[in-house]
Amino acid sequence: MFVGIDIGGTKIKYALVDEAGQTSLKGLIDTPLEREPLLQVLEGIVSRFQKETLLRGIGVSAPGVVRKDGYMLTGGAIPGLEGLALKDYLKTKFNLPVFVENDGKAAAIAEKWLGNAQDVDNYICVVLGTGVGGGIVLDGQVLRGMTGAAGEFSWMLTQNSQNMKEISSYLAGHMGVLLGLCERYNIKEKALEPDFVPTRSALTIFEQEAENPRAAEAIREYIQEVARGLFNFSCIFNPEKILLGGGISANQGFIEGVQQTFQELFSRHLMVAGIQKELMPVVEVAGLKNDAGLLGAVYQLLQNESQESIDL
């Protein structure tokens, strides 16, 4: 058995994982933001499982830029991860094989193993959350780049670079749920009602879509932003599939809106409309939901055991 750990910005998910990807003894705990408390929590998870069963390795999915050697260049929203040699730390502590992977790449790997990418070799997982993360797989290989930062879509500039202090200059301000949808809605409401209390809940906005024209407009504009981003990703990477993750992907109306708008962009684009059938990828929801990160990290331990490449 393996320990799978998915470090999120607010919660840490963990489970025992077997060779077939079946999970057991799942748990959830708050994520400490500082290094020492965070390491204590991780140690406690592994130590608990060591008492339950014979462990073969530890797979960790984490936000931020993760080098191939398991060193955390950045830690996303978790300051305690930045500059941490997490793989070396856990390997020394427990004398077990360890694999540390960026959460977007781990999700992409898991989708190939057990999810909705089993039938393709070229695909992108796009995770819509506070920002926009993802994993890119081309010709069956995970695209990592020089330092492991490939797939950090949030950083992409979308406007005049002289305005770098404005979050709207970055793709996170357009495709991220918090800024692309919630902040867009809050601005519309505040223009009408100065005392409006801003929301950070996409669910609240979708619940008002039918009767609140500002909510409906914000959702429509956000769908257009997401579809345009996916179109641009398609032009760069030429995938067979784009898999959407994040909590908002559970909203069927949102997914259908993105799919329809995405198709319209292809049909209206003068340079690609003639080859739309050959060029346009399938856009669908990622299959593994909450377990994707920890499964993707564990999969690579299995690959190492079988002496295969750590890539797909």
Side-chain angles (χ1 to χ4, degrees):
M1 299 290 281
F2 300 88
V3 182
I5 301 174
D6 183 8
I7 305 173
T10 59
K11 299 288 184 181
I12 296 174
K13 298 185 287 288
Y14 57 89
L16 280 180
V17 184
D18 67 16
E19 291 184 353
Q22 297 299 307
T23 58
S24 60
L25 299 181
K26 289 184 181 182
L28 190 69
I29 190 170
D30 290 340
T31 304
L33 299 182
E34 301 305 319
R35 179 168 300 182
E36 289 307 315
L38 175 61
L39 291 176
Q40 289 174 9
V41 167
L42 298 179
E43 290 172 21
I45 292 169
V46 179
S47 295
R48 172 198 161 192
F49 284 134
Q50 276 189 320
K51 297 174 183 178
E52 302 277 348
T53 187
L54 179 64
L55 296 179
R56 292 160 55 185
I58 306 164
V60 181
S61 164
V65 178
V66 186
R67 284 194 328 215
K68 204 168 184 177
D69 62 359
Y71 179 87
M72 306 291 305
L73 279 177
T74 69
I78 307 172
L81 285 175
E82 186 170 343
L84 175 63
L86 184 56
K87 175 180 177 178
D88 288 346
Y89 180 87
L90 293 174
K91 187 175 181 179
T92 301
K93 186 75 177 178
F94 294 102
N95 194 30
L96 287 169
V98 177
F99 201 99
V100 180
E101 182 63 278
N102 163 267
D103 50 7
K105 294 179 181 65
I109 290 164
E111 289 294 328
K112 180 65 174 178
W113 183 23
L114 298 166
N116 287 342
Q118 295 182 61
D119 59 338
V120 295
D121 288 325
N122 298 278
Y123 63 97
I124 309 171
C125 281
V126 178
V127 182
L128 301 173
T130 303
V132 190
I136 305 158
V137 177
L138 298 178
D139 298 323
Q141 301 294 312
V142 178
L143 187 64
R144 300 182 185 280
M146 177 177 65
T147 60
E152 293 291 340
F153 300 132
S154 282
W155 299 351
M156 295 173 66
L157 292 174
T158 58
Q159 295 182 6
N160 191 328
S161 58
Q162 292 179 346
N163 201 23
M164 296 285 278
K165 292 184 178 180
E166 297 293 332
I167 193 66
S168 61
S169 297
Y170 305 93
L171 194 63
H174 296 265
M175 289 182 69
V177 177
L178 183 60
L179 295 164
L181 176 59
C182 296
E183 187 59 23
R184 186 185 305 272
Y185 167 73
N186 291 335
I187 291 171
K188 294 179 186 297
E189 289 288 8
K190 210 159 186 64
L192 192 67
E193 178 52 65
D195 295 329
F196 173 76
V197 178
T199 182
R200 294 170 63 90
S201 169
L203 180 61
T204 297
I205 300 171
F206 277 102
E207 287 174 343
Q208 299 181 55
E209 183 178 10
E211 67 274 0
N212 184 336
R214 292 168 300 285
E217 184 179 35
I219 291 169
R220 183 169 61 253
E221 291 174 357
Y222 178 60
I223 285 173
Q224 291 170 348
E225 295 279 13
V226 172
R228 182 161 55 244
L230 299 184
F231 178 89
N232 289 334
F233 296 163
S234 298
C235 294
I236 299 169
F237 301 113
N238 191 207
E240 298 163 78
K241 280 188 177 182
I242 298 177
L243 304 177
L244 297 181
I248 197 170
S249 66
N251 186 297
Q252 186 63 30
F254 168 74
I255 294 298
E256 291 174 355
V258 170
Q259 290 169 330
Q260 179 179 342
T261 306
F262 182 72
Q263 292 174 10
E264 290 172 355
L265 288 174
F266 268 90
S267 63
R268 290 167 45 206
H269 196 295
L270 293 178
M271 294 185 178
V272 302
I275 53 172
Q276 177 178 351
K277 183 178 178 181
E278 292 79 10
L279 190 65
M280 189 177 72
V282 173
V283 175
E284 63 184 36
V285 178
L288 295 175
K289 308 291 190 302
N290 289 334
D291 288 339
L294 61 89
L295 288 171
V298 166
Y299 177 80
Q300 297 184 92
L301 289 168
L302 284 167
Q303 292 292 87
N304 281 350
E305 280 194 350
S306 62
Q307 301 300 307
E308 296 176 14
S309 167
I310 57 172
D311 291 326
L312 292 181

Coordinates of all heavy atoms in Angstrom, one line a residue, residues 61-129:
S61 N 0.9 15.4 -3.7 CA 0.5 16.4 -4.6 C 0.4 17.7 -3.9 O -0.2 17.8 -2.8 CB -0.9 16.0 -5.2 OG -1.5 17.1 -5.8
A62 N 1.0 18.8 -4.5 CA 1.1 20.1 -3.8 C 1.0 21.2 -4.8 O 1.3 21.1 -6.0 CB 2.4 20.2 -3.1
P63 N 0.5 22.3 -4.3 CA 0.4 23.5 -5.2 C 1.8 24.1 -5.4 O 2.7 23.9 -4.6 CB -0.5 24.5 -4.4 CG -0.3 24.1 -3.0 CD 0.0 22.6 -3.0
G64 N 1.9 25.0 -6.4 CA 3.1 25.6 -6.7 C 4.0 25.0 -7.7 O 3.6 24.0 -8.3
V65 N 5.2 25.5 -7.9 CA 6.2 25.0 -8.8 C 7.0 23.9 -8.1 O 7.7 24.2 -7.2 CB 7.0 26.1 -9.4 CG1 8.1 25.5 -10.4 CG2 6.2 27.1 -10.2
V66 N 7.0 22.7 -8.6 CA 7.7 21.6 -8.0 C 8.8 21.1 -9.0 O 8.4 20.7 -10.1 CB 6.8 20.4 -7.7 CG1 7.6 19.3 -6.9 CG2 5.6 20.9 -6.8
R67 N 10.0 21.2 -8.6 CA 11.1 20.7 -9.5 C 11.0 19.1 -9.5 O 10.4 18.5 -8.7 CB 12.5 21.1 -9.0 CG 12.8 22.5 -9.3 CD 14.3 22.8 -9.1 NE 15.0 22.1 -8.0 CZ 15.9 22.5 -7.3 NH1 16.3 23.8 -7.4 NH2 16.5 21.8 -6.4
K68 N 11.7 18.6 -10.5 CA 11.6 17.1 -10.7 C 12.2 16.4 -9.5 O 11.9 15.2 -9.2 CB 12.3 16.7 -12.0 CG 11.9 15.4 -12.6 CD 12.4 15.2 -14.0 CE 11.9 13.9 -14.6 NZ 12.3 13.8 -16.0
D69 N 13.1 17.0 -8.7 CA 13.7 16.4 -7.6 C 12.9 16.6 -6.3 O 13.3 16.3 -5.2 CB 15.1 16.9 -7.4 CG 15.2 18.4 -7.1 OD1 14.1 19.1 -7.1 OD2 16.3 19.0 -6.9
G70 N 11.7 17.1 -6.5 CA 10.8 17.3 -5.3 C 11.0 18.5 -4.5 O 10.5 18.6 -3.3
Y71 N 11.8 19.5 -5.0 CA 12.1 20.7 -4.3 C 11.0 21.7 -4.7 O 10.6 21.9 -5.9 CB 13.4 21.3 -4.7 CG 13.8 22.6 -4.0 CD1 14.4 22.6 -2.8 CD2 13.5 23.8 -4.7 CE1 14.7 23.8 -2.2 CE2 13.9 25.0 -4.1 CZ 14.5 25.0 -2.8 OH 14.8 26.2 -2.3
M72 N 10.4 22.4 -3.7 CA 9.3 23.3 -3.9 C 9.9 24.7 -4.2 O 10.3 25.4 -3.3 CB 8.4 23.4 -2.7 CG 7.8 22.1 -2.2 SD 6.6 21.4 -3.4 CE 5.4 22.7 -3.5
L73 N 9.9 25.1 -5.5 CA 10.3 26.5 -5.8 C 9.3 27.5 -5.3 O 9.7 28.6 -4.8 CB 10.4 26.7 -7.3 CG 11.7 26.1 -8.0 CD1 11.6 26.3 -9.5 CD2 12.9 26.8 -7.4
T74 N 8.0 27.2 -5.4 CA 7.0 28.1 -4.8 C 6.0 27.1 -4.1 O 6.0 25.9 -4.4 CB 6.3 28.9 -5.9 OG1 5.5 28.1 -6.7 CG2 7.2 29.7 -6.7
G75 N 5.1 27.7 -3.3 CA 4.1 26.9 -2.6 C 2.7 27.3 -2.8 O 1.8 27.0 -2.0
G76 N 2.4 28.0 -3.9 CA 1.0 28.5 -4.1 C 0.6 29.4 -3.0 O 1.3 30.3 -2.6
A77 N -0.5 29.0 -2.4 CA -1.1 29.8 -1.2 C -0.5 29.4 0.1 O -1.0 29.8 1.1 CB -2.6 29.7 -1.2
I78 N 0.5 28.5 0.1 CA 1.0 27.9 1.4 C 2.5 28.4 1.5 O 3.4 27.8 0.9 CB 0.9 26.4 1.4 CG1 -0.5 26.0 1.1 CG2 1.4 25.8 2.7 CD1 -0.7 24.5 0.8
P79 N 2.7 29.4 2.3 CA 4.1 30.0 2.4 C 5.1 28.9 2.9 O 6.3 28.9 2.6 CB 3.9 31.1 3.4 CG 2.5 31.5 3.3 CD 1.7 30.2 3.0
G80 N 4.6 28.0 3.8 CA 5.5 27.0 4.4 C 6.1 26.1 3.4 O 7.1 25.4 3.7
L81 N 5.6 26.0 2.2 CA 6.1 25.0 1.2 C 7.3 25.7 0.4 O 8.1 25.0 -0.1 CB 5.0 24.6 0.2 CG 4.0 23.6 0.7 CD1 2.9 23.4 -0.3 CD2 4.7 22.3 1.1
E82 N 7.3 27.0 0.3 CA 8.2 27.6 -0.6 C 9.7 27.4 -0.1 O 10.0 27.6 1.0 CB 8.0 29.1 -0.7 CG 8.8 29.9 -1.6 CD 8.4 31.3 -1.9 OE1 7.2 31.6 -1.5 OE2 9.2 32.1 -2.4
G83 N 10.5 26.9 -1.0 CA 11.9 26.7 -0.7 C 12.2 25.4 0.1 O 13.2 25.3 0.7
L84 N 11.2 24.5 0.1 CA 11.3 23.3 0.9 C 11.7 22.1 0.1 O 11.0 21.8 -1.0 CB 9.9 23.0 1.6 CG 9.8 21.7 2.4 CD1 10.8 21.7 3.6 CD2 8.4 21.6 2.9
A85 N 12.7 21.4 0.5 CA 13.0 20.1 -0.2 C 12.2 19.0 0.4 O 12.6 18.2 1.1 CB 14.5 19.8 0.0
L86 N 10.9 19.0 -0.1 CA 9.9 18.2 0.6 C 10.2 16.7 0.4 O 10.0 15.9 1.3 CB 8.5 18.5 0.1 CG 7.3 17.8 0.7 CD1 7.3 17.9 2.2 CD2 6.0 18.3 0.1
K87 N 10.6 16.3 -0.8 CA 10.9 14.9 -1.1 C 12.0 14.4 -0.2 O 11.9 13.3 0.4 CB 11.2 14.7 -2.6 CG 11.7 13.3 -2.9 CD 12.0 13.1 -4.4 CE 12.5 11.7 -4.7 NZ 12.8 11.5 -6.1
D88 N 13.1 15.2 -0.2 CA 14.2 14.7 0.6 C 13.9 14.6 2.1 O 14.3 13.7 2.8 CB 15.4 15.7 0.5 CG 16.1 15.6 -0.9 OD1 15.8 14.6 -1.6 OD2 16.8 16.5 -1.3
Y89 N 13.1 15.6 2.6 CA 12.7 15.6 4.0 C 11.9 14.3 4.3 O 12.2 13.7 5.3 CB 11.8 16.8 4.3 CG 11.4 16.9 5.7 CD1 12.2 17.5 6.7 CD2 10.2 16.4 6.1 CE1 11.8 17.6 8.0 CE2 9.8 16.4 7.5 CZ 10.6 17.0 8.4 OH 10.2 17.1 9.7
L90 N 10.9 14.0 3.6 CA 10.1 12.9 3.9 C 10.8 11.5 3.7 O 10.6 10.6 4.4 CB 8.8 12.9 3.0 CG 7.8 14.0 3.3 CD1 6.7 14.0 2.3 CD2 7.2 13.9 4.7
K91 N 11.7 11.5 2.7 CA 12.5 10.3 2.4 C 13.4 10.0 3.6 O 13.6 8.9 4.0 CB 13.2 10.5 1.1 CG 14.0 9.2 0.6 CD 14.6 9.5 -0.7 CE 15.3 8.2 -1.2 NZ 15.9 8.4 -2.6
T92 N 14.0 11.1 4.1 CA 14.9 10.9 5.2 C 14.2 10.5 6.5 O 14.6 9.7 7.3 CB 15.7 12.2 5.5 OG1 16.5 12.5 4.3 CG2 16.7 12.1 6.6
K93 N 13.0 11.1 6.7 CA 12.2 10.9 7.9 C 11.7 9.5 7.9 O 11.7 8.9 9.0 CB 11.1 11.9 7.9 CG 10.2 11.9 9.2 CD 11.0 12.6 10.3 CE 10.1 12.6 11.6 NZ 10.9 13.2 12.7
F94 N 11.2 8.9 6.8 CA 10.5 7.7 6.9 C 11.3 6.5 6.1 O 10.8 5.4 6.2 CB 9.1 7.8 6.3 CG 8.3 8.7 7.1 CD1 8.0 10.0 6.7 CD2 7.7 8.2 8.3 CE1 7.2 10.8 7.5 CE2 6.9 9.0 9.1 CZ 6.6 10.4 8.7
N95 N 12.4 6.8 5.5 CA 13.1 5.8 4.7 C 12.2 5.1 3.8 O 12.3 3.8 3.7 CB 13.8 4.8 5.7 CG 14.9 4.0 5.0 OD1 15.5 4.4 4.1 ND2 15.0 2.8 5.5
L96 N 11.4 5.8 3.0 CA 10.5 5.2 2.0 C 10.7 6.0 0.7 O 11.1 7.2 0.7 CB 9.1 5.4 2.5 CG 8.6 4.5 3.6 CD1 7.2 4.9 4.1 CD2 8.5 3.0 3.1
P97 N 10.4 5.4 -0.4 CA 10.3 6.1 -1.7 C 9.3 7.2 -1.6 O 8.2 7.0 -1.0 CB 9.9 5.1 -2.7 CG 10.3 3.8 -2.1 CD 10.1 3.9 -0.6
V98 N 9.6 8.4 -2.2 CA 8.7 9.6 -2.1 C 8.7 10.2 -3.5 O 9.7 10.3 -4.2 CB 9.2 10.6 -1.1 CG1 8.3 11.8 -1.1 CG2 9.3 10.0 0.3
F99 N 7.5 10.6 -3.9 CA 7.3 11.4 -5.1 C 6.5 12.6 -4.8 O 5.4 12.4 -4.3 CB 6.7 10.6 -6.3 CG 7.0 11.2 -7.6 CD1 8.0 10.6 -8.4 CD2 6.3 12.3 -8.1 CE1 8.4 11.2 -9.6 CE2 6.6 12.8 -9.3 CZ 7.7 12.3 -10.1
V100 N 7.0 13.8 -5.2 CA 6.2 15.0 -4.9 C 5.9 15.6 -6.3 O 6.8 15.8 -7.1 CB 7.0 16.0 -4.1 CG1 6.2 17.3 -3.9 CG2 7.4 15.4 -2.7
E101 N 4.7 15.9 -6.5 CA 4.2 16.4 -7.9 C 3.3 17.7 -7.7 O 2.6 17.8 -6.7 CB 3.5 15.3 -8.6 CG 3.0 15.7 -10.0 CD 4.2 16.0 -10.9 OE1 4.7 17.1 -10.9 OE2 4.5 15.1 -11.7
N102 N 3.4 18.6 -8.6 CA 2.5 19.7 -8.7 C 1.1 19.1 -8.8 O 0.8 18.1 -9.5 CB 2.8 20.6 -9.9 CG 1.7 21.5 -10.3 OD1 0.9 21.1 -11.2 ND2 1.6 22.6 -9.7
D103 N 0.1 19.8 -8.2 CA -1.3 19.3 -8.2 C -1.9 19.2 -9.5 O -2.6 18.2 -9.8 CB -2.1 20.1 -7.2 CG -2.1 21.6 -7.4 OD1 -1.4 22.0 -8.4 OD2 -2.6 22.3 -6.6
G104 N -1.7 20.2 -10.4 CA -2.3 20.1 -11.8 C -1.7 19.0 -12.6 O -2.4 18.2 -13.3
K105 N -0.4 18.7 -12.5 CA 0.2 17.6 -13.2 C -0.2 16.3 -12.6 O -0.4 15.3 -13.4 CB 1.8 17.8 -13.2 CG 2.3 19.0 -13.9 CD 3.8 19.1 -13.8 CE 4.3 20.3 -14.6 NZ 3.9 21.6 -14.0
A106 N -0.3 16.2 -11.3 CA -0.8 15.0 -10.7 C -2.2 14.6 -11.1 O -2.5 13.5 -11.4 CB -0.7 15.1 -9.2
A107 N -3.0 15.6 -11.2 CA -4.4 15.4 -11.7 C -4.4 14.9 -13.1 O -5.2 13.9 -13.5 CB -5.2 16.7 -11.6
A108 N -3.6 15.5 -14.0 CA -3.5 15.0 -15.4 C -3.0 13.6 -15.5 O -3.5 12.8 -16.3 CB -2.5 15.9 -16.2
I109 N -2.0 13.2 -14.7 CA -1.5 11.9 -14.7 C -2.5 10.9 -14.2 O -2.7 9.8 -14.8 CB -0.2 11.8 -13.8 CG1 0.9 12.6 -14.4 CG2 0.2 10.4 -13.5 CD1 2.0 12.9 -13.5
A110 N -3.3 11.2 -13.2 CA -4.3 10.4 -12.7 C -5.4 10.1 -13.7 O -6.0 9.0 -13.8 CB -4.9 11.0 -11.4
E111 N -5.7 11.2 -14.5 CA -6.8 11.0 -15.5 C -6.4 10.0 -16.6 O -7.2 9.3 -17.1 CB -7.1 12.4 -16.2 CG -7.8 13.3 -15.3 CD -9.2 12.9 -14.9 OE1 -9.9 12.2 -15.8 OE2 -9.7 13.2 -13.8
K112 N -5.1 9.9 -16.9 CA -4.6 8.9 -17.8 C -4.6 7.5 -17.2 O -4.9 6.6 -17.9 CB -3.1 9.3 -18.2 CG -2.5 8.3 -19.2 CD -3.2 8.3 -20.5 CE -2.5 7.5 -21.6 NZ -3.2 7.5 -22.9
W113 N -4.4 7.4 -15.9 CA -4.4 6.1 -15.3 C -5.8 5.6 -15.1 O -6.1 4.5 -15.5 CB -3.7 6.3 -13.9 CG -3.6 5.0 -13.1 CD1 -3.5 3.7 -13.6 CD2 -3.4 4.9 -11.7 NE1 -3.4 2.8 -12.5 CE2 -3.3 3.5 -11.4 CE3 -3.3 5.9 -10.7 CZ2 -3.1 3.1 -10.1 CZ3 -3.1 5.4 -9.4 CH2 -3.0 4.0 -9.1
L114 N -6.7 6.4 -14.6 CA -8.0 5.9 -14.2 C -9.2 6.7 -14.6 O -10.3 6.4 -14.4 CB -8.1 5.8 -12.6 CG -7.1 4.8 -12.0 CD1 -7.0 5.0 -10.5 CD2 -7.4 3.4 -12.3
G115 N -8.9 7.9 -15.3 CA -10.0 8.8 -15.5 C -10.4 8.9 -17.0 O -10.4 8.0 -17.7
N116 N -10.6 10.2 -17.4 CA -11.2 10.4 -18.7 C -10.2 10.6 -19.8 O -10.5 11.1 -20.9 CB -12.2 11.6 -18.7 CG -13.5 11.3 -17.9 OD1 -13.8 10.1 -17.8 ND2 -14.2 12.3 -17.5
A117 N -8.9 10.4 -19.5 CA -7.9 10.5 -20.6 C -7.2 9.2 -20.9 O -6.2 9.1 -21.6 CB -6.8 11.5 -20.1
Q118 N -7.9 8.1 -20.5 CA -7.3 6.8 -20.8 C -7.2 6.4 -22.3 O -6.3 5.6 -22.7 CB -8.1 5.7 -20.1 CG -8.1 5.8 -18.6 CD -8.9 4.7 -17.9 OE1 -8.6 3.5 -18.0 NE2 -10.0 5.1 -17.2
D119 N -8.0 7.1 -23.1 CA -8.0 6.8 -24.5 C -7.2 7.8 -25.4 O -7.3 7.7 -26.6 CB -9.4 6.7 -25.0 CG -10.2 8.0 -24.8 OD1 -9.8 8.8 -23.9 OD2 -11.2 8.2 -25.5
V120 N -6.5 8.7 -24.8 CA -5.8 9.7 -25.6 C -4.4 9.9 -25.1 O -4.1 9.6 -23.9 CB -6.6 11.1 -25.5 CG1 -7.9 11.0 -26.2 CG2 -6.7 11.6 -24.1
D121 N -3.5 10.4 -25.9 CA -2.1 10.7 -25.6 C -1.8 12.2 -25.5 O -0.7 12.6 -25.1 CB -1.2 10.0 -26.6 CG -1.1 8.5 -26.4 OD1 -1.3 8.1 -25.2 OD2 -1.0 7.8 -27.4
N122 N -2.8 13.0 -26.0 CA -2.6 14.5 -26.0 C -3.8 15.2 -25.4 O -4.9 15.2 -25.9 CB -2.4 15.0 -27.5 CG -1.2 14.4 -28.2 OD1 -0.1 14.9 -28.0 ND2 -1.4 13.3 -28.9
Y123 N -3.6 15.7 -24.2 CA -4.7 16.3 -23.5 C -4.2 17.3 -22.5 O -3.0 17.3 -22.1 CB -5.5 15.3 -22.8 CG -4.8 14.5 -21.7 CD1 -5.0 14.8 -20.4 CD2 -4.0 13.4 -22.0 CE1 -4.3 14.1 -19.4 CE2 -3.4 12.6 -21.1 CZ -3.5 13.0 -19.7 OH -2.9 12.3 -18.8
I124 N -5.1 18.2 -22.0 CA -4.8 19.2 -21.0 C -5.8 19.0 -19.9 O -7.0 18.9 -20.2 CB -4.8 20.6 -21.6 CG1 -4.0 20.7 -22.8 CG2 -4.4 21.6 -20.5 CD1 -4.2 22.1 -23.5
C125 N -5.4 19.1 -18.7 CA -6.3 19.2 -17.5 C -6.2 20.7 -17.1 O -5.1 21.2 -16.8 CB -5.9 18.3 -16.4 SG -6.3 16.6 -16.5
V126 N -7.3 21.4 -17.0 CA -7.4 22.8 -16.6 C -8.2 22.8 -15.3 O -9.4 22.4 -15.3 CB -8.1 23.6 -17.7 CG1 -8.2 25.1 -17.2 CG2 -7.2 23.6 -19.0
V127 N -7.6 23.3 -14.3 CA -8.3 23.3 -13.0 C -8.7 24.8 -12.7 O -7.8 25.7 -12.6 CB -7.4 22.8 -11.9 CG1 -8.1 22.8 -10.5 CG2 -6.9 21.4 -12.2
L128 N -10.0 25.0 -12.6 CA -10.5 26.4 -12.4 C -10.8 26.6 -10.9 O -11.7 25.9 -10.4 CB -11.8 26.6 -13.2 CG -11.6 26.4 -14.7 CD1 -13.0 26.5 -15.4 CD2 -10.7 27.5 -15.3
G129 N -10.0 27.4 -10.3 CA -10.1 27.7 -8.9 C -9.9 29.1 -8.6 O -10.4 30.0 -9.4

